[in-house]
Amino acid sequence: MNWAQARQILRFKRIDPVPSTSTDAGDLGTDPLASVRATSICIVSGKGGTGKSTVCASLSSMLARTGRTLVFDGDLGVANAHILHDVHPERTAVDALEGRCQLRDVVHPCGEQLDLIAGGSGYAQVAGLKMCELELLAAGIERLERQYRFLVVDAAAGLSHQTVEMAAASDRVIVVTTPDVTAMTDAYAFLKVLVPRKPLSVPQLVINRVTCPEEADHAARRIQRVSKKFLGFEPEWIASLPEDRAAFRCTQRRMPVVRGEEDSELAVALRDLTHGLLEDIGRHHPRGLGRALLHRLREQMRTA
Ligand SMILES: Nc1ncnc2c1ncn2[C@@H]1O[C@H](COP(=O)(O)OP(=O)(O)OP(=O)(O)O)[C@@H](O)[C@H]1O
Ligand SMILES: [Mg+2]
């Protein structure tokens, strides 16, 4: 898709400016629209396979009990969020990107108060999205986000432009890592790229697949120490999740852990994570991922 096609689809939709971005998520000014948009939570990692989709499936399933929730699978290369909700959407975000439909046409129900925009396969794996494609996605999200209370992005692994921009424009960014030193290095690499993009809130850290509390403590403190020293800020460590075979069994059964094995150690930890997030989110007004992203992209184009 080129600019002309993207613009035609966007029809030059005017987007209200987002209030000033800062790392203080509570500072929303007097924006009257903000409170009616979904609170966005972007789940990222540097390295693949750290547990983003496992966390996303349970988190979104729990959030849906509180309010209408949309999951956006940001992996357009090897998407699999739909597997963990056991749905088979006919259309994916790639169909919207390639102009075959609008993003709203891709929304697929996958539970009570829970919808999914599936990612795709084979798209943008190497080069990443062009600015106009990302703008198209942002505009589609902007149109949808008023209908939901929560928007959870299951991001692709790695440091692609689209993943970093989405994370920066989300109300919350959760970096999922394991205590594995390569995963921690890549989590730090993600933070290093994200911080200059001025994320809307202080990134949060989840240490997954830990075998004892000391392991989580060691991993989290190490990332915090290095971030503080070299980036000038500390990510907030919000949870550690145990190594638990329940994750594998529930993936085989295509179910979020909190539904498939609700008494497992992992499900308990995921529920605690969700409750903590809900408390935190409740103290701040959402800004709207689609709107914030559009605003950022247009600023970038203006100053380029
Ligand atoms: N706490 C855990 N205990 C044991 N296994 C886990 C745990 N969390 C995730 N896994 C397993 O790790 C594998 C990768 O998990 P998942 O697909 O959620 O990672 P991901 O970060 O989404 O990967 P990708 O980057 O490819 O999207 C899966 O087989 C999953 O069952
Ligand atoms: Mg995944």
Side-chain angles (χ1 to χ4, degrees):
M1 174 173 306
N2 58 34
W3 274 108
Q5 290 164 320
R7 287 232 147 82
Q8 205 177 11
I9 293 170
L10 289 166
R11 291 189 201 92
F12 289 100
K13 189 174 188 307
R14 214 183 93 77
I15 302 299
D16 304 323
V18 180
S20 65
T21 57
S22 76
T23 47
D24 175 8
D27 172 20
L28 194 74
T30 51
D31 179 13
L33 292 177
S35 60
V36 297
R37 290 172 190 265
T39 294
S40 50
I41 303 160
C42 190
I43 304 179
V44 301
S45 68
K47 193 175 187 301
T50 59
K52 293 178 298 298
S53 299
T54 303
V55 170
C56 177
S58 282
L59 177 63
S60 54
S61 161
M62 291 282 297
L63 290 175
R65 294 177 196 176
T66 308
R68 213 169 160 220
T69 300
L70 177 64
V71 176
F72 178 81
D73 190 342
D75 197 329
L76 306 174
V78 281
N80 55 25
H82 61 285
I83 297 172
L84 291 172
H85 292 287
D86 199 15
V87 290
H88 309 274
E90 276 171 23
R91 287 175 166 163
T92 72
V94 172
D95 289 298
L97 277 174
E98 292 183 340
R100 285 186 287 280
C101 62
Q102 302 277 323
L103 196 64
R104 62 170 176 265
D105 302 324
V106 178
V107 173
H108 189 93
C110 57
E112 198 172 331
Q113 298 207 95
L114 185 60
D115 292 338
L116 170 75
I117 293 179
S121 58
Y123 200 78
Q125 271 173 305
V126 182
L129 293 185
K130 293 181 215 144
M131 282 286 263
C132 60
E133 293 171 322
L134 187 52
E135 189 179 4
L136 190 65
L137 271 188
I141 292 171
E142 198 275 334
R143 285 176 187 148
L144 285 166
E145 65 196 0
R146 288 169 208 239
Q147 299 166 31
Y148 293 89
R149 175 121 177 249
F150 304 105
L151 168 59
V152 188
V153 179
D154 185 357
L159 310 176
S160 71
H161 164 70
Q162 68 255 26
T163 302
V164 175
E165 290 299 335
M166 273 204 174
S170 293
D171 294 299
R172 289 287 174 276
V173 188
I174 298 181
V175 183
V176 180
T177 183
T178 67
D180 183 284
V181 73
T182 56
M184 287 199 293
T185 306
D186 291 356
Y188 171 73
F190 191 93
L191 291 170
K192 196 171 159 189
V193 178
L194 177 68
V195 167
R197 305 298 320 142
K198 293 192 171 44
L200 291 181
S201 62
V202 173
Q204 298 175 316
L205 206 54
V206 169
I207 314 289
N208 188 22
R209 307 193 71 158
V210 302
T211 52
C212 64
E214 294 73 36
E215 196 176 43
D217 194 71
H218 179 75
R221 289 190 194 287
R222 197 161 161 197
I223 296 172
Q224 284 179 320
R225 211 171 37 241
V226 178
S227 300
K228 189 163 185 187
K229 184 165 173 193
F230 296 106
L231 307 178
F233 91 103
E234 271 187 19
E236 186 190 356
W237 175 26
I238 56 166
S240 48
L241 305 173
E243 170 72 29
D244 190 338
R245 218 33 205 165
F248 173 79
R249 289 190 296 269
C250 291
T251 303
Q252 296 300 102
R253 292 167 58 204
R254 298 171 173 254
M255 287 185 113
V257 179
V258 293
R259 284 207 284 116
E261 293 201 27
E262 56 184 42
D263 295 326
S264 63
E265 259 189 78
L266 182 55
V268 171
L270 284 163
R271 273 201 297 275
D272 286 349
L273 164 62
T274 309
H275 291 146
L277 256 183
L278 276 170
E279 256 177 47
D280 174 37
I281 284 168
R283 289 195 289 269
H284 304 285
H285 293 290
R287 289 170 194 251
L289 167 58
R291 185 180 54 155
L293 188 54
L294 274 174
H295 183 69
R296 280 166 180 263
L297 295 174
R298 287 172 187 182
E299 275 296 297
Q300 284 176 26
M301 284 183 263
R302 209 172 50 78
T303 54

